[in-house]
Amino acid sequence: MAKLPQPVVLKVDFSKDGLVAIRKKSQGNQAELLLEFPTVYLVYDETKPATYDVYVGETNNIEQRTQQHLLDDVHRRQDWKYLADSRSSKLLVIGHEHFNKSLTLDIENKMMLYMSGVTSVKRLNNRRENQQNKYYTADERDAIFSKIWRKLNQFDQKLFPVESIIQDSALFKASPFHALTTEQEHARELILRRIEAVLRSNKGHQLILVEGEAGSGKTVLLSTLFYQLWQLGQDKNYSDFSVSQNYLLVNHDEQVKVYENISRKLGMDTTHVSKPTRFINQHSADVPADIVLVDEAHLLWTQGKQSYRGKNQLKDIMDRAKLTVAVFDPKQILKTEEYLTSNEVKALEAKVGQQGNLIKFKAQMRMNASEATTTWLRELIDRRVVSKIPMDDSYDLRIFDDPMEMYEAIKRKASDEQSGLSRLLATFDWPYKSGSQEVDYVTVGDLSLPWNLQLPLAPEQRGQGKKLAWAEQNQTIGEVGSTYTIQGFDLNYSGVIIGPSVKYRDGKVVYDPKLSSNKRATERRTLSSGEKSFVYEDLLPNELNVLLTRGVNGLYIYAVDDELRTALLAAAGK
């Protein structure tokens, strides 16, 4: 690709005087790019220190569009009235020689994606998502955007931090503004058609099941659907959606935080994000909700537990919804109360498949690893064999003989801005009592660190703790994460301590429940037949699967069991 021209960025007050200043400050080629070509623009105000309201847009005529916001939109929308009345609100106009309508729409969409991942942005407005398909300059989008972002960073580093910091944000990773893959796009269109049909008819209580392994893009699809349904509900031109009551459920405290933050930032109703039990207790089958989206549906309980007194959360949710869309990965079922036999999974798939409502994702998008590396992982987890680790220039897979050495390597990655978010994880083989006054440690050799969620929040993040996922809290570099805090999230580099419950005997990986502290995986489960049975042979490998599939750019492994560690080191050629 030829060297791309630099973007032009102009900053003025968002006011009538600022409107005049656009033409006064623009000269020569710059004036043509900003006043006569398509542009992307941001209107923002720092409502209090390091706290912003932001609007992102694109237009073919920045003067006309700014007049519209200042003179007309202030009478129709409170957010525009606030921005127009504020004396500190600013307008940033962005131009580029290669901008055309499709490219500006795509840059606008990517700007929304990045703004959704910026911690200091508390309110983000746009009212639409504008992903474009193929067009003439599509291959230049990412390079042009990076040039724009670096220039914006020079204006305000709090509002426009370096790209790697944003990309580490859990909000960025679950944002509804990601460009969808062909597989995700097909799934979205099918689901929207089903939703429209259900809302027009009286045929309710249907289930769409989206199945895929970790990192296949299920969460982004669900987030995009949730936002799009809300948008359609605001649009009077879409009468079928205008009265719909839509909910997003996930049985995972950390993921609930993420979805609540996204909803809050985009001006959506945060009460429509909840855990399944709360939704079930607050809704009746007599007055069902319209659309219920369920993330991490493999975490739904299939027996009564604690505040839930039913027998199957998925069934109870379906009874209370006209249509349920659930994303599901049977390899991420972790607890006995979530357990489904392989026959029960097959029966569920067959039932929704007969209705044309089974969608299977085949792509793996989380790990930047070669097919040979992902195959090696699947052989270790699924076939329980340790084969030779393949060479992979794009993925950093290392086996360690010393847990302290691995921890130091993870700390170096975490402190390097280019490496980004990196944390230590472990199988649940050390005791952990939630809510206890005493600190519980993961101790291996000279390494001894607290389990997750025990260290006090870092001073610079105080006040944000309830809104940040575990791995995003700065002090957690001094903790060890479990499946219960990391499931559903990415790390750039993950260091995994495979505890003593995972052994290597006679050429096979085996599991010893006596050495696991994960009682919710090793206790007996009452099956649908009434028989009580141990199911750890399914659940403990699932725990390992979750931990070993978190790292986007690298995976570091230390195994406590001597024979397993020896086999892994030999597989790495050590």
Side-chain angles (χ1 to χ4, degrees):
M1 184 188 296
K3 187 175 180 181
L4 289 169
Q6 287 294 325
V8 173
V9 180
L10 179 66
K11 179 179 176 182
V12 298
D13 291 336
F14 180 62
S15 64
K16 292 177 183 178
D17 289 340
L19 186 58
V20 174
I22 295 175
R23 189 165 288 277
K24 281 185 177 179
K25 290 187 176 183
S26 305
Q27 298 177 355
N29 181 53
Q30 186 184 67
E32 184 180 39
L33 289 178
L34 296 180
L35 298 171
E36 299 179 34
F37 275 60
T39 55
V40 176
Y41 65 96
L42 294 93
V43 180
Y44 67 93
D45 187 41
E46 190 171 7
T47 54
K48 53 186 178 180
T51 302
Y52 296 87
D53 280 4
V54 179
Y55 180 92
V56 179
E58 63 79 37
T59 181
N60 288 336
N61 188 324
I62 188 61
E63 290 179 301
Q64 184 178 324
R65 180 59 61 86
T66 306
Q67 284 182 334
Q68 178 186 337
H69 290 323
L70 287 168
L71 302 177
D72 300 332
D73 291 343
V74 291
H75 301 297
R76 295 197 297 262
R77 281 173 44 181
Q78 189 60 38
D79 51 350
W80 281 116
K81 185 175 187 327
Y82 166 77
L83 288 167
D85 288 347
S86 171
R87 294 185 178 182
S88 57
S89 58
K90 302 295 179 185
L91 168 65
L92 278 167
V93 189
I94 304 161
H96 194 277
E97 289 179 27
H98 292 193
F99 271 1
N100 53 50
K101 186 67 174 179
S102 292
L103 183 54
T104 54
L105 285 168
D106 237 4
I107 294 287
E108 175 195 28
N109 199 65
K110 190 160 185 176
M111 190 67 70
M112 287 292 289
L113 169 63
Y114 271 59
M115 288 283 101
S116 66
V118 175
T119 306
S120 60
V121 175
K122 302 304 179 188
R123 189 67 182 265
L124 180 59
N125 292 299
N126 176 270
R127 298 290 190 267
R128 60 185 176 179
E129 49 87 31
N130 277 319
Q131 179 185 339
Q132 300 296 293
N133 294 318
K134 292 182 179 180
Y135 54 92
Y136 178 59
T137 51
D139 61 333
E140 297 178 348
R141 182 199 64 171
D142 291 344
I144 290 174
F145 184 86
S146 288
K147 285 178 177 289
I148 290 169
W149 193 265
R150 285 194 291 273
K151 189 155 277 195
L152 293 173
N153 175 259
Q154 297 170 11
F155 284 94
D156 190 331
Q157 293 181 6
K158 292 176 292 184
L159 181 55
F160 306 104
V162 296
E163 287 185 78
S164 61
I165 292 175
I166 298 167
Q167 291 163 357
D168 283 341
S169 161
L171 269 68
F172 174 88
K173 290 169 182 175
S175 170
F177 297 100
H178 282 280
L180 300 184
T181 64
T182 301
E183 195 172 47
Q184 290 169 320
E185 188 62 47
H186 286 167
R188 178 174 71 164
E189 292 307 313
L190 185 151
I191 292 167
L192 288 174
R193 287 198 301 271
R194 288 283 192 278
I195 288 172
E196 198 166 5
V198 166
L199 292 180
R200 283 179 174 172
S201 70
N202 293 318
K203 296 179 181 179
H205 311 300
Q206 293 188 37
L207 172 66
I208 295 176
L209 197 64
V210 182
E211 196 171 307
E213 293 187 5
S216 58
K218 304 183 299 296
T219 290
V220 166
L221 170 68
L222 217 62
S223 178
T224 301
L225 281 168
F226 188 49
Y227 181 59
Q228 188 167 5
L229 288 171
W230 175 76
Q231 284 183 305
L232 292 171
Q234 308 295 305
D235 193 332
K236 295 177 182 177
N237 295 319
Y238 290 88
S239 57
D240 287 324
F241 294 96
S242 60
V243 294
S244 57
Q245 289 292 307
N246 310 310
Y247 293 83
L248 197 159
L249 313 180
V250 59
N251 208 13
H252 191 295
D253 291 334
E254 300 293 300
Q255 201 71 38
V256 167
K257 288 181 191 177
V258 171
Y259 284 127
E260 284 179 339
N261 283 340
I262 289 173
S263 297
R264 192 177 294 111
K265 187 171 283 198
L266 296 175
M268 301 163 66
D269 189 345
T270 58
T271 63
H272 284 219
V273 175
S274 82
K275 296 186 76 172
T277 298
R278 179 176 148 206
F279 172 83
I280 291 166
N281 291 341
Q282 292 181 350
H283 289 80
S284 163
D286 297 330
V287 187
D290 290 313
I291 312 302
V292 176
L293 308 176
V294 185
D295 197 6
E296 310 274 1
H298 38 270
L299 303 181
L300 292 175
W301 293 342
T302 54
Q303 65 178 15
K305 193 81 174 177
Q306 298 168 353
S307 59
Y308 175 63
R309 298 303 176 200
K311 294 181 179 178
N312 186 304
Q313 284 187 322
L314 180 58
K315 182 182 181 303
D316 288 347
I317 291 167
M318 289 175 61
D319 288 344
R320 291 159 174 77
K322 293 177 183 175
L323 177 68
T324 303
V325 181
V327 300
F328 178 71
D329 178 6
K331 291 181 180 177
Q332 293 194 64
I333 295 173
L334 299 176
K335 307 171 189 172
T336 54
E337 63 260 31
E338 302 162 359
Y339 184 71
L340 290 167
T341 66
S342 58
N343 286 337
E344 287 171 330
V345 172
K346 288 174 184 175
L348 179 62
E349 291 173 339
K351 184 176 180 180
V352 294
Q354 287 170 359
Q355 300 167 338
N357 286 352
L358 177 62
I359 300 169
K360 286 201 172 189
F361 280 0
K362 296 177 182 176
Q364 189 285 123
M365 298 185 296
R366 172 180 292 142
M367 299 168 65
N368 294 326
S370 67
E371 186 176 346
T373 297
T374 55
T375 299
W376 181 85
L377 272 174
R378 295 269 52 97
E379 287 181 344
L380 177 68
I381 298 163
D382 301 336
R383 292 184 54 220
R384 306 189 184 188
V385 297
V386 179
S387 54
K388 186 177 178 355
I389 296 175
M391 295 290 293
D392 190 343
D393 293 335
S394 61
Y395 196 74
D396 187 8
L397 175 55
R398 297 191 217 172
I399 310 300
F400 284 79
D401 196 24
D402 181 342
M404 276 301 297
E405 187 182 335
M406 183 171 79
Y407 179 45
E408 292 300 327
I410 286 295
K411 284 201 294 184
R412 285 193 296 272
K413 290 294 184 184
S415 64
D416 184 344
E417 203 172 74
Q418 298 304 312
S419 302
L421 198 61
S422 304
R423 289 294 185 271
L424 211 58
L425 311 171
T427 53
F428 205 151
D429 291 349
W430 292 264
Y432 176 57
K433 301 180 188 69
S434 179
S436 170
Q437 296 299 313
E438 294 184 7
V439 176
D440 293 306
Y441 287 85
V442 174
T443 301
V444 190
D446 294 333
L447 177 72
S448 187
L449 295 173
W451 267 123
N452 37 218
L453 300 171
Q454 296 190 97
L455 292 178
L457 200 69
E460 67 273 12
Q461 290 183 314
R462 282 178 190 156
Q464 302 178 49
K466 291 183 179 179
K467 297 179 182 178
L468 293 172
W470 171 78
E472 292 182 297
Q473 298 177 28
N474 292 342
Q475 82 284 355
T476 61
I477 189 61
E479 294 181 333
V480 180
S482 72
T483 49
Y484 302 125
T485 45
I486 203 62
Q487 189 171 28
F489 295 94
D490 293 345
L491 294 167
N492 282 337
Y493 291 82
S494 60
V496 178
I497 301 170
I498 301 179
S501 69
V502 188
K503 300 178 176 181
Y504 190 70
R505 300 291 184 269
D506 301 320
K508 284 282 186 179
V509 175
V510 296
Y511 294 86
D512 186 346
K514 298 185 187 68
L515 296 177
S516 172
S517 294
N518 192 357
K519 301 305 180 189
R520 300 178 83 172
T522 57
E523 61 192 3
R524 288 179 188 270
R525 161 67 194 247
T526 304
L527 303 179
S528 55
S529 63
E531 175 193 357
K532 289 190 175 183
S533 178
F534 289 111
V535 293
Y536 64 81
E537 281 290 348
D538 290 329
L539 300 185
L540 292 182
N542 286 355
E543 178 183 21
L544 189 63
N545 175 58
V546 168
L547 295 173
L548 295 181
T549 55
R550 298 303 104 190
V552 173
N553 297 317
L555 167 64
Y556 300 166
I557 299 174
Y558 173 82
V560 172
D561 179 70
D562 291 338
E563 291 187 43
L564 179 56
R565 185 169 67 256
T566 299
L568 288 169
L569 288 166
K574 294 184 179 179

